Amino acid sequence: QVKAYAQQLLSAGNKTNQTLQSYAKQTNVTLPADLSKDNKNHLSKLNGMGGGVEFDTQYLDYVADLHSD
């Protein structure tokens, strides 16, 4: 279930990013080219986990933190 949820988030995020990039281009706004240091660290940690229940828990916590701001 977590994998399906992650795929939904990825699809929605890609669509949102395309819209944002188009708007930024129209308004001459430069978007960041890379992830923040914190996000890179979180993703590196997740990539090193290899899956399983612990990965699912950490991933869901990470996503919740991203969307709480």
Side-chain angles (χ1 to χ4, degrees):
Q1 289 177 330
V2 173
K3 188 174 183 176
Y5 177 67
Q7 186 60 48
Q8 288 176 343
L9 287 179
L10 181 61
S11 295
N14 285 340
K15 184 175 181 179
T16 300
N17 283 340
Q18 288 174 344
T19 301
L20 178 61
Q21 288 174 355
S22 175
Y23 183 73
K25 185 177 181 179
Q26 291 172 11
T27 57
N28 294 318
V29 172
T30 303
L31 297 174
D34 208 355
L35 295 173
S36 70
K37 183 177 178 181
D38 284 344
N39 284 332
K40 284 182 183 179
N41 288 340
H42 283 291
L43 291 175
S44 177
K45 179 180 176 183
L46 288 171
N47 284 331
M49 295 182 80
V53 174
E54 180 63 22
F55 174 87
D56 290 352
T57 302
Q58 291 295 321
Y59 173 77
L60 292 173
D61 287 346
Y62 172 65
V63 170
D65 286 347
L66 286 176
H67 292 92
S68 67
D69 293 337

